[in-house]
């Protein structure tokens, strides 16, 4: 199976602009989670989508939003970019089976630089 | 909600030594504990995981132990090699609609 893919891999934007990142999960995986990773901050959870619904949300401002399509592909949007939004944005997909917790598989990430 | 503490934040060892990274969790309902390795500029990749019905799991030079009573789990790497240098993340999850909670990461440096 193909792994999780993310596009674009790199983005450079200026303050005030908005950006849309895309994530395609592993085939059959229905849950997609988004994380922000900055040096020294670990993996900060943004939100999780399951069956086109946002099921979990982290502690980020409303400028960060997302959606999931019927084929489980997901997008996240950041509006009114700030310098502090510069980070690696990772998405992860999991199967969501009936028993126990499922492994999350990460994409390669999108490196966003805000100038 | 779940809280995962990971220690140490940085670990420096000589090639051939063993390395141990420890995590504690707060939610007794957590039942799945994966470990991820993230090399510089790359994605986090699952290296080993353990479920709550097992106390220990090994895969070549890597092992994970779980103490459900004390709510802690550890990653053990034996005979470390320079290519083991990376950031390691632990996580705890209880499945269903709950997303995993990650530790803050341990930067492992293996000196040749």
């Amino acid at each position: 199976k193909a792994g999780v893919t993310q596009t674009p891999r790199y983005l450079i934007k200026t303050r005030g602009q908005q950006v849309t990142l895309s994530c395609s999960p592993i085939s059959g995986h229905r849950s997609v989670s988004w994380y922000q990773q900055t040096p020294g901050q670990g993996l900060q959870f943004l939100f999780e989508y399951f069956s086109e619904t946002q099921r979990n949300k982290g502690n980020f401002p409303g400028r960060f939003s997302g959606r999931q399509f019927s084929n489980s592909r997901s997008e996240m949007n950041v509006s009114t970019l700030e310098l502090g939004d510069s980070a690696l944005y990772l998405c992860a997909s999991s199967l969501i089976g009936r028993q126990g917790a499922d492994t999350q598989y990460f994409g390669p990430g999108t490196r966003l630089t805000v100038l | 909600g779940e809280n995962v503490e990971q220690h140490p934040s940085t670990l420096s060892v000589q090639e051939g030594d063993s390395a141990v990274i420890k995590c504690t969790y707060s939610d007794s309902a957590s039942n799945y504990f994966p470990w991820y390795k993230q090399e510089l500029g790359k994605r986090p990749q699952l290296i080993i995981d353990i479920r709550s019905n097992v106390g220990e799991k090994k895969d070549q030079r890597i092992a994970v132990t779980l103490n459900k009573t004390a709510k802690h789990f550890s990653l053990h790497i034996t005979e470390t090699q320079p290519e083991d240098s990376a950031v390691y993340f632990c996580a705890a999850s209880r499945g269903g609609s709950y997303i995993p909670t990650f530790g803050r990461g341990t930067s492992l440096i293996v000196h040749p």
Side-chain angles (χ1 to χ4, degrees):
Chain A
K1 280 185 179 178
V4 180
T5 58
Q6 291 185 247
T7 56
R9 293 293 311 280
Y10 302 92
L11 267 177
I12 299 176
K13 293 285 186 180
T14 55
R15 280 180 297 174
Q17 288 187 307
Q18 75 165 22
V19 67
T20 299
L21 314 181
S22 180
C23 172
S24 292
I26 292 172
S27 178
H29 284 196
R30 297 168 62 193
S31 169
V32 175
S33 297
W34 288 89
Y35 296 86
Q36 182 194 67
Q37 187 175 38
T38 52
Q41 291 299 311
L43 295 162
Q44 303 289 308
F45 172 71
L46 281 153
F47 30 65
E48 182 233 2
Y49 285 86
F50 177 75
S51 292
E52 303 178 63
T53 301
Q54 187 182 87
R55 190 167 63 171
N56 288 286
K57 188 178 189 305
N59 192 25
F60 276 81
R63 299 185 298 107
F64 292 82
S65 63
R67 59 178 174 168
Q68 186 180 35
F69 302 95
S70 58
N71 61 358
S72 293
R73 189 177 71 85
S74 178
E75 290 182 346
M76 68 163 279
N77 184 276
V78 188
S79 62
T80 319
L81 285 166
E82 300 177 359
L83 295 178
D85 296 334
S86 294
L88 179 68
Y89 290 88
L90 292 159
C91 81
S93 76
S94 61
L95 183 61
I96 302 297
R98 291 193 171 186
Q99 292 185 349
D102 292 301
T103 303
Q104 286 201 328
Y105 295 91
F106 285 88
T110 295
R111 173 75 61 185
L112 172 64
T113 302
V114 182
L115 303 176
Chain B
E2 174 68 281
N3 182 48
V4 175
E5 303 262 348
Q6 182 172 349
H7 298 282
S9 57
T10 305
L11 180 57
S12 183
V13 300
Q14 289 295 129
E15 183 177 1
D17 287 349
S18 294
V20 180
I21 302 170
K22 299 180 179 181
C23 288
T24 60
Y25 62 100
S26 60
D27 186 352
S28 57
S30 288
N31 56 21
Y32 176 59
F33 307 92
W35 285 88
Y36 291 84
K37 174 184 180 182
Q38 186 177 26
E39 296 177 61
L40 191 62
K42 296 190 176 181
R43 74 184 81 189
Q45 293 207 304
L46 179 75
I47 55 171
I48 195 166
D49 57 11
I50 192 167
R51 296 193 184 270
S52 59
N53 57 348
V54 175
E56 183 176 4
K57 185 176 178 180
K58 289 183 180 180
D59 183 3
Q60 299 181 347
R61 296 185 297 108
I62 293 172
V64 56
T65 58
L66 171 65
N67 184 325
K68 287 172 56 181
T69 303
K71 294 207 278 286
H72 67 70
F73 56 111
S74 300
L75 177 71
H76 304 253
I77 305 174
T78 58
E79 300 172 16
T80 54
Q81 301 166 3
E83 51 264 40
D84 294 329
S85 296
V87 177
Y88 291 81
F89 292 97
C90 66
S93 178
R94 62 188 291 191
S97 62
Y98 292 87
I99 54 124
T101 301
F102 285 84
R104 292 179 65 87
T106 296
S107 177
L108 174 63
I109 303 164
V110 181
H111 298 280

